[in-house]
PDB file of all heavy atoms in Angstrom:
ATOM      1  N   PRO A   9       6.849   3.051  -1.690  1.00 94.00           N
ATOM      2  CA  PRO A   9       7.384   4.268  -1.079  1.00 94.00           C
ATOM      3  C   PRO A   9       6.309   5.347  -1.087  1.00 94.00           C
ATOM      4  O   PRO A   9       5.619   5.533  -2.089  1.00 94.00           O
ATOM      5  CB  PRO A   9       8.551   4.660  -1.998  1.00 94.00           C
ATOM      6  CG  PRO A   9       8.387   3.862  -3.251  1.00 94.00           C
ATOM      7  CD  PRO A   9       7.624   2.632  -2.869  1.00 94.00           C
ATOM      8  N   LYS A  13       4.313   4.118   5.576  1.00 96.00           N
ATOM      9  CA  LYS A  13       4.813   3.085   6.495  1.00 96.00           C
ATOM     10  C   LYS A  13       5.461   3.713   7.737  1.00 96.00           C
ATOM     11  O   LYS A  13       5.177   3.313   8.861  1.00 96.00           O
ATOM     12  CB  LYS A  13       5.866   2.198   5.801  1.00 96.00           C
ATOM     13  CG  LYS A  13       5.353   1.372   4.649  1.00 96.00           C
ATOM     14  CD  LYS A  13       6.422   0.390   4.141  1.00 96.00           C
ATOM     15  CE  LYS A  13       7.635   1.057   3.532  1.00 96.00           C
ATOM     16  NZ  LYS A  13       7.376   1.792   2.278  1.00 96.00           N
ATOM     17  N   SER A  30      13.164   0.388  11.320  1.00 98.00           N
ATOM     18  CA  SER A  30      13.103   0.896   9.948  1.00 98.00           C
ATOM     19  C   SER A  30      14.420   0.583   9.250  1.00 98.00           C
ATOM     20  O   SER A  30      15.472   1.117   9.615  1.00 98.00           O
ATOM     21  CB  SER A  30      12.864   2.407   9.967  1.00 98.00           C
ATOM     22  OG  SER A  30      13.232   2.964   8.724  1.00 98.00           O
ATOM     23  N   SER A  31      14.353  -0.299   8.265  1.00 98.00           N
ATOM     24  CA  SER A  31      15.596  -0.685   7.571  1.00 98.00           C
ATOM     25  C   SER A  31      16.185   0.509   6.826  1.00 98.00           C
ATOM     26  O   SER A  31      17.407   0.668   6.764  1.00 98.00           O
ATOM     27  CB  SER A  31      15.339  -1.863   6.626  1.00 98.00           C
ATOM     28  OG  SER A  31      14.198  -1.624   5.833  1.00 98.00           O
ATOM     29  N   GLY A  32      15.315   1.381   6.292  1.00 96.00           N
ATOM     30  CA  GLY A  32      15.813   2.563   5.596  1.00 96.00           C
ATOM     31  C   GLY A  32      16.559   3.497   6.546  1.00 96.00           C
ATOM     32  O   GLY A  32      17.633   4.006   6.223  1.00 96.00           O
ATOM     33  N   GLU A  33      15.997   3.686   7.763  1.00 96.00           N
ATOM     34  CA  GLU A  33      16.667   4.537   8.759  1.00 96.00           C
ATOM     35  C   GLU A  33      18.013   3.943   9.149  1.00 96.00           C
ATOM     36  O   GLU A  33      18.993   4.651   9.329  1.00 96.00           O
ATOM     37  CB  GLU A  33      15.807   4.665  10.031  1.00 96.00           C
ATOM     38  CG  GLU A  33      14.615   5.581   9.912  1.00 96.00           C
ATOM     39  CD  GLU A  33      14.997   7.031   9.661  1.00 96.00           C
ATOM     40  OE1 GLU A  33      16.091   7.449  10.084  1.00 96.00           O
ATOM     41  OE2 GLU A  33      14.214   7.738   8.996  1.00 96.00           O
ATOM     42  N   LEU A  35      19.975   2.096   7.393  1.00 96.00           N
ATOM     43  CA  LEU A  35      20.953   2.298   6.317  1.00 96.00           C
ATOM     44  C   LEU A  35      21.352   3.773   6.237  1.00 96.00           C
ATOM     45  O   LEU A  35      22.537   4.091   6.084  1.00 96.00           O
ATOM     46  CB  LEU A  35      20.386   1.824   4.976  1.00 96.00           C
ATOM     47  CG  LEU A  35      20.139   0.317   4.849  1.00 96.00           C
ATOM     48  CD1 LEU A  35      19.504  -0.002   3.502  1.00 96.00           C
ATOM     49  CD2 LEU A  35      21.431  -0.479   5.009  1.00 96.00           C
ATOM     50  N   ARG A  36      20.359   4.673   6.354  1.00 94.00           N
ATOM     51  CA  ARG A  36      20.686   6.109   6.271  1.00 94.00           C
ATOM     52  C   ARG A  36      21.652   6.509   7.380  1.00 94.00           C
ATOM     53  O   ARG A  36      22.529   7.341   7.168  1.00 94.00           O
ATOM     54  CB  ARG A  36      19.413   6.966   6.333  1.00 94.00           C
ATOM     55  CG  ARG A  36      18.720   7.099   4.975  1.00 94.00           C
ATOM     56  CD  ARG A  36      17.602   8.133   5.007  1.00 94.00           C
ATOM     57  NE  ARG A  36      16.466   7.725   5.780  1.00 94.00           N
ATOM     58  CZ  ARG A  36      15.508   6.898   5.340  1.00 94.00           C
ATOM     59  NH1 ARG A  36      15.552   6.441   4.108  1.00 94.00           N
ATOM     60  NH2 ARG A  36      14.512   6.541   6.115  1.00 94.00           N
ATOM     61  N   TYR A  51      23.394   2.886  -3.134  1.00 96.00           N
ATOM     62  CA  TYR A  51      22.133   2.144  -3.321  1.00 96.00           C
ATOM     63  C   TYR A  51      20.949   3.055  -3.036  1.00 96.00           C
ATOM     64  O   TYR A  51      19.997   3.124  -3.817  1.00 96.00           O
ATOM     65  CB  TYR A  51      22.061   0.925  -2.399  1.00 96.00           C
ATOM     66  CG  TYR A  51      23.056  -0.154  -2.730  1.00 96.00           C
ATOM     67  CD1 TYR A  51      24.075  -0.501  -1.850  1.00 96.00           C
ATOM     68  CD2 TYR A  51      22.975  -0.830  -3.950  1.00 96.00           C
ATOM     69  CE1 TYR A  51      24.988  -1.492  -2.160  1.00 96.00           C
ATOM     70  CE2 TYR A  51      23.889  -1.828  -4.260  1.00 96.00           C
ATOM     71  CZ  TYR A  51      24.885  -2.143  -3.367  1.00 96.00           C
ATOM     72  OH  TYR A  51      25.792  -3.116  -3.687  1.00 96.00           O
ATOM     73  N   ILE A  52      20.996   3.745  -1.899  1.00 95.00           N
ATOM     74  CA  ILE A  52      19.844   4.567  -1.505  1.00 95.00           C
ATOM     75  C   ILE A  52      19.593   5.657  -2.544  1.00 95.00           C
ATOM     76  O   ILE A  52      18.465   5.843  -3.006  1.00 95.00           O
ATOM     77  CB  ILE A  52      20.084   5.218  -0.118  1.00 95.00           C
ATOM     78  CG1 ILE A  52      20.199   4.139   0.969  1.00 95.00           C
ATOM     79  CG2 ILE A  52      18.950   6.192   0.218  1.00 95.00           C
ATOM     80  CD1 ILE A  52      20.517   4.683   2.345  1.00 95.00           C
ATOM     81  N   GLY A  55      17.972   4.663  -5.648  1.00 95.00           N
ATOM     82  CA  GLY A  55      16.647   4.069  -5.514  1.00 95.00           C
ATOM     83  C   GLY A  55      16.671   2.552  -5.597  1.00 95.00           C
ATOM     84  O   GLY A  55      15.637   1.916  -5.748  1.00 95.00           O
ATOM     85  N   ASN A  56      17.867   1.983  -5.498  1.00 97.00           N
ATOM     86  CA  ASN A  56      17.993   0.516  -5.584  1.00 97.00           C
ATOM     87  C   ASN A  56      18.142  -0.103  -4.203  1.00 97.00           C
ATOM     88  O   ASN A  56      18.513   0.577  -3.251  1.00 97.00           O
ATOM     89  CB  ASN A  56      19.205   0.167  -6.441  1.00 97.00           C
ATOM     90  CG  ASN A  56      18.995   0.593  -7.877  1.00 97.00           C
ATOM     91  OD1 ASN A  56      18.023   0.179  -8.510  1.00 97.00           O
ATOM     92  ND2 ASN A  56      19.868   1.455  -8.376  1.00 97.00           N
ATOM     93  N   LEU A  57      17.892  -1.382  -4.111  1.00 98.00           N
ATOM     94  CA  LEU A  57      17.971  -2.062  -2.817  1.00 98.00           C
ATOM     95  C   LEU A  57      19.416  -2.391  -2.471  1.00 98.00           C
ATOM     96  O   LEU A  57      20.218  -2.733  -3.343  1.00 98.00           O
ATOM     97  CB  LEU A  57      17.172  -3.367  -2.854  1.00 98.00           C
ATOM     98  CG  LEU A  57      15.668  -3.231  -3.066  1.00 98.00           C
ATOM     99  CD1 LEU A  57      15.006  -4.605  -3.043  1.00 98.00           C
ATOM    100  CD2 LEU A  57      15.051  -2.330  -2.005  1.00 98.00           C
ATOM    101  N   ALA A  58      19.724  -2.304  -1.184  1.00 97.00           N
ATOM    102  CA  ALA A  58      21.008  -2.790  -0.691  1.00 97.00           C
ATOM    103  C   ALA A  58      20.985  -4.322  -0.811  1.00 97.00           C
ATOM    104  O   ALA A  58      19.912  -4.926  -0.811  1.00 97.00           O
ATOM    105  CB  ALA A  58      21.188  -2.371   0.758  1.00 97.00           C
ATOM    106  N   PRO A  59      22.171  -4.956  -0.905  1.00 97.00           N
ATOM    107  CA  PRO A  59      22.191  -6.418  -1.040  1.00 97.00           C
ATOM    108  C   PRO A  59      21.559  -7.115   0.174  1.00 97.00           C
ATOM    109  O   PRO A  59      21.673  -6.639   1.306  1.00 97.00           O
ATOM    110  CB  PRO A  59      23.689  -6.740  -1.128  1.00 97.00           C
ATOM    111  CG  PRO A  59      24.361  -5.467  -1.507  1.00 97.00           C
ATOM    112  CD  PRO A  59      23.509  -4.362  -0.952  1.00 97.00           C
ATOM    113  N   MET A  63      21.823  -6.315   4.280  1.00 98.00           N
ATOM    114  CA  MET A  63      20.621  -5.886   5.004  1.00 98.00           C
ATOM    115  C   MET A  63      20.358  -6.826   6.169  1.00 98.00           C
ATOM    116  O   MET A  63      20.017  -6.400   7.278  1.00 98.00           O
ATOM    117  CB  MET A  63      19.428  -5.879   4.037  1.00 98.00           C
ATOM    118  CG  MET A  63      18.201  -5.220   4.594  1.00 98.00           C
ATOM    119  SD  MET A  63      18.417  -3.434   4.728  1.00 98.00           S
ATOM    120  CE  MET A  63      18.489  -3.185   6.481  1.00 98.00           C
ATOM    121  N   ASP A  83       9.557  -1.868   9.372  1.00 98.00           N
ATOM    122  CA  ASP A  83       9.147  -0.835   8.410  1.00 98.00           C
ATOM    123  C   ASP A  83      10.138  -0.880   7.247  1.00 98.00           C
ATOM    124  O   ASP A  83      11.275  -0.444   7.381  1.00 98.00           O
ATOM    125  CB  ASP A  83       9.182   0.510   9.156  1.00 98.00           C
ATOM    126  CG  ASP A  83       9.166   1.727   8.253  1.00 98.00           C
ATOM    127  OD1 ASP A  83       9.050   1.581   7.026  1.00 98.00           O
ATOM    128  OD2 ASP A  83       9.275   2.842   8.805  1.00 98.00           O
ATOM    129  N   GLY A  84       9.709  -1.474   6.125  1.00 97.00           N
ATOM    130  CA  GLY A  84      10.595  -1.519   4.955  1.00 97.00           C
ATOM    131  C   GLY A  84      11.422  -2.781   4.844  1.00 97.00           C
ATOM    132  O   GLY A  84      12.297  -2.887   3.985  1.00 97.00           O
ATOM    133  N   PHE A  85      11.175  -3.723   5.694  1.00 98.00           N
ATOM    134  CA  PHE A  85      11.878  -5.017   5.663  1.00 98.00           C
ATOM    135  C   PHE A  85      10.855  -6.108   5.950  1.00 98.00           C
ATOM    136  O   PHE A  85      10.021  -5.904   6.836  1.00 98.00           O
ATOM    137  CB  PHE A  85      12.990  -5.049   6.714  1.00 98.00           C
ATOM    138  CG  PHE A  85      13.640  -6.405   6.826  1.00 98.00           C
ATOM    139  CD1 PHE A  85      14.719  -6.739   6.024  1.00 98.00           C
ATOM    140  CD2 PHE A  85      13.136  -7.348   7.713  1.00 98.00           C
ATOM    141  CE1 PHE A  85      15.297  -8.003   6.106  1.00 98.00           C
ATOM    142  CE2 PHE A  85      13.701  -8.611   7.794  1.00 98.00           C
ATOM    143  CZ  PHE A  85      14.786  -8.937   6.994  1.00 98.00           C
ATOM    144  N   PRO A  86      10.890  -7.253   5.294  1.00 98.00           N
ATOM    145  CA  PRO A  86      11.724  -7.624   4.144  1.00 98.00           C
ATOM    146  C   PRO A  86      11.198  -7.020   2.842  1.00 98.00           C
ATOM    147  O   PRO A  86      10.005  -6.809   2.689  1.00 98.00           O
ATOM    148  CB  PRO A  86      11.606  -9.147   4.117  1.00 98.00           C
ATOM    149  CG  PRO A  86      10.311  -9.473   4.785  1.00 98.00           C
ATOM    150  CD  PRO A  86      10.046  -8.377   5.757  1.00 98.00           C
ATOM    151  N   ARG A  87      12.114  -6.751   1.931  1.00 98.00           N
ATOM    152  CA  ARG A  87      11.751  -6.151   0.651  1.00 98.00           C
ATOM    153  C   ARG A  87      12.014  -7.086  -0.513  1.00 98.00           C
ATOM    154  O   ARG A  87      11.712  -6.738  -1.655  1.00 98.00           O
ATOM    155  CB  ARG A  87      12.575  -4.888   0.452  1.00 98.00           C
ATOM    156  CG  ARG A  87      11.820  -3.585   0.719  1.00 98.00           C
ATOM    157  CD  ARG A  87      12.793  -2.492   0.442  1.00 98.00           C
ATOM    158  NE  ARG A  87      12.338  -1.186   0.208  1.00 98.00           N
ATOM    159  CZ  ARG A  87      12.229  -0.224   1.104  1.00 98.00           C
ATOM    160  NH1 ARG A  87      12.368  -0.480   2.379  1.00 98.00           N
ATOM    161  NH2 ARG A  87      11.942   0.987   0.731  1.00 98.00           N
ATOM    162  N   GLN A  91      15.004 -12.047   1.421  1.00 98.00           N
ATOM    163  CA  GLN A  91      15.033 -11.511   2.792  1.00 98.00           C
ATOM    164  C   GLN A  91      13.929 -12.152   3.635  1.00 98.00           C
ATOM    165  O   GLN A  91      14.137 -12.477   4.808  1.00 98.00           O
ATOM    166  CB  GLN A  91      14.829  -9.984   2.778  1.00 98.00           C
ATOM    167  CG  GLN A  91      15.997  -9.205   2.203  1.00 98.00           C
ATOM    168  CD  GLN A  91      15.750  -7.699   2.176  1.00 98.00           C
ATOM    169  OE1 GLN A  91      14.776  -7.186   2.729  1.00 98.00           O
ATOM    170  NE2 GLN A  91      16.638  -6.975   1.509  1.00 98.00           N
ATOM    171  N   ARG A 126       7.186  15.300   0.312  1.00 86.00           N
ATOM    172  CA  ARG A 126       8.150  14.918   1.352  1.00 86.00           C
ATOM    173  C   ARG A 126       9.549  15.417   0.995  1.00 86.00           C
ATOM    174  O   ARG A 126      10.328  15.793   1.865  1.00 86.00           O
ATOM    175  CB  ARG A 126       8.158  13.385   1.496  1.00 86.00           C
ATOM    176  CG  ARG A 126       9.054  12.903   2.608  1.00 86.00           C
ATOM    177  CD  ARG A 126       8.864  11.437   2.906  1.00 86.00           C
ATOM    178  NE  ARG A 126       9.536  10.581   1.951  1.00 86.00           N
ATOM    179  CZ  ARG A 126       9.491   9.256   1.971  1.00 86.00           C
ATOM    180  NH1 ARG A 126       8.766   8.634   2.887  1.00 86.00           N
ATOM    181  NH2 ARG A 126      10.138   8.547   1.093  1.00 86.00           N
ATOM    182  N   ARG A 132      14.762  14.435   1.680  1.00 84.00           N
ATOM    183  CA  ARG A 132      15.399  13.134   1.468  1.00 84.00           C
ATOM    184  C   ARG A 132      16.008  13.066   0.075  1.00 84.00           C
ATOM    185  O   ARG A 132      15.355  13.377  -0.914  1.00 84.00           O
ATOM    186  CB  ARG A 132      14.365  12.021   1.644  1.00 84.00           C
ATOM    187  CG  ARG A 132      14.470  11.364   3.007  1.00 84.00           C
ATOM    188  CD  ARG A 132      13.471  10.277   3.170  1.00 84.00           C
ATOM    189  NE  ARG A 132      13.666   9.147   2.271  1.00 84.00           N
ATOM    190  CZ  ARG A 132      13.109   7.964   2.446  1.00 84.00           C
ATOM    191  NH1 ARG A 132      12.344   7.757   3.488  1.00 84.00           N
ATOM    192  NH2 ARG A 132      13.300   6.987   1.601  1.00 84.00           N
ATOM    193  N   ASP A 134      16.586  10.729  -1.849  1.00 90.00           N
ATOM    194  CA  ASP A 134      16.045   9.776  -2.825  1.00 90.00           C
ATOM    195  C   ASP A 134      14.605  10.111  -3.224  1.00 90.00           C
ATOM    196  O   ASP A 134      13.965   9.326  -3.905  1.00 90.00           O
ATOM    197  CB  ASP A 134      16.152   8.324  -2.311  1.00 90.00           C
ATOM    198  CG  ASP A 134      15.476   8.104  -0.966  1.00 90.00           C
ATOM    199  OD1 ASP A 134      15.138   9.099  -0.286  1.00 90.00           O
ATOM    200  OD2 ASP A 134      15.291   6.943  -0.600  1.00 90.00           O
ATOM    201  N   ARG A 143      12.198   3.537  -7.571  1.00 96.00           N
ATOM    202  CA  ARG A 143      11.763   2.866  -6.339  1.00 96.00           C
ATOM    203  C   ARG A 143      10.403   2.199  -6.519  1.00 96.00           C
ATOM    204  O   ARG A 143      10.155   1.127  -5.963  1.00 96.00           O
ATOM    205  CB  ARG A 143      11.762   3.864  -5.180  1.00 96.00           C
ATOM    206  CG  ARG A 143      13.192   4.157  -4.719  1.00 96.00           C
ATOM    207  CD  ARG A 143      13.332   5.491  -4.033  1.00 96.00           C
ATOM    208  NE  ARG A 143      12.566   5.604  -2.834  1.00 96.00           N
ATOM    209  CZ  ARG A 143      12.003   6.740  -2.402  1.00 96.00           C
ATOM    210  NH1 ARG A 143      12.121   7.840  -3.098  1.00 96.00           N
ATOM    211  NH2 ARG A 143      11.344   6.745  -1.288  1.00 96.00           N
TER     212      ARG A 143
HETATM  213  P1  LIG B 201      12.879   3.496   3.046  1.00 91.73           P
HETATM  214  O1  LIG B 201      13.256   4.507   4.084  1.00 91.73           O
HETATM  215  O2  LIG B 201      12.225   2.293   3.601  1.00 91.73           O
HETATM  216  O3  LIG B 201      12.121   4.113   1.914  1.00 91.73           O
HETATM  217  O4  LIG B 201      14.270   2.979   2.414  1.00 91.73           O
HETATM  218  C1  LIG B 201      15.166   3.861   1.761  1.00 91.73           C
HETATM  219  C2  LIG B 201      16.159   3.079   0.943  1.00 91.73           C
HETATM  220  O5  LIG B 201      16.939   2.236   1.787  1.00 91.73           O
HETATM  221  C3  LIG B 201      15.567   2.125  -0.091  1.00 91.73           C
HETATM  222  O6  LIG B 201      15.203   2.779  -1.295  1.00 91.73           O
HETATM  223  C4  LIG B 201      16.727   1.158  -0.287  1.00 91.73           C
HETATM  224  O7  LIG B 201      17.756   1.755  -1.044  1.00 91.73           O
HETATM  225  C5  LIG B 201      17.234   0.997   1.141  1.00 91.73           C
HETATM  226  N1  LIG B 201      16.527  -0.087   1.863  1.00 91.73           N
HETATM  227  C6  LIG B 201      15.614   0.060   2.859  1.00 91.73           C
HETATM  228  N2  LIG B 201      15.170  -1.129   3.286  1.00 91.73           N
HETATM  229  C7  LIG B 201      15.799  -2.074   2.541  1.00 91.73           C
HETATM  230  C8  LIG B 201      15.754  -3.490   2.503  1.00 91.73           C
HETATM  231  N3  LIG B 201      14.941  -4.213   3.307  1.00 91.73           N
HETATM  232  N4  LIG B 201      16.563  -4.122   1.611  1.00 91.73           N
HETATM  233  C9  LIG B 201      17.379  -3.427   0.799  1.00 91.73           C
HETATM  234  N5  LIG B 201      17.470  -2.081   0.773  1.00 91.73           N
HETATM  235  C10 LIG B 201      16.687  -1.400   1.638  1.00 91.73           C
END
Side-chain angles (χ1 to χ4, degrees):
K13 295 187 295 294
S30 161
S31 48
E33 285 296 332
L35 294 177
R36 277 190 290 280
Y51 293 115
I52 296 177
N56 294 303
L57 296 181
M63 191 71 250
D83 164 4
F85 174 88
R87 257 181 161 95
Q91 290 179 9
R126 184 170 79 182
R132 259 180 65 164
D134 56 346
R143 285 156 62 213

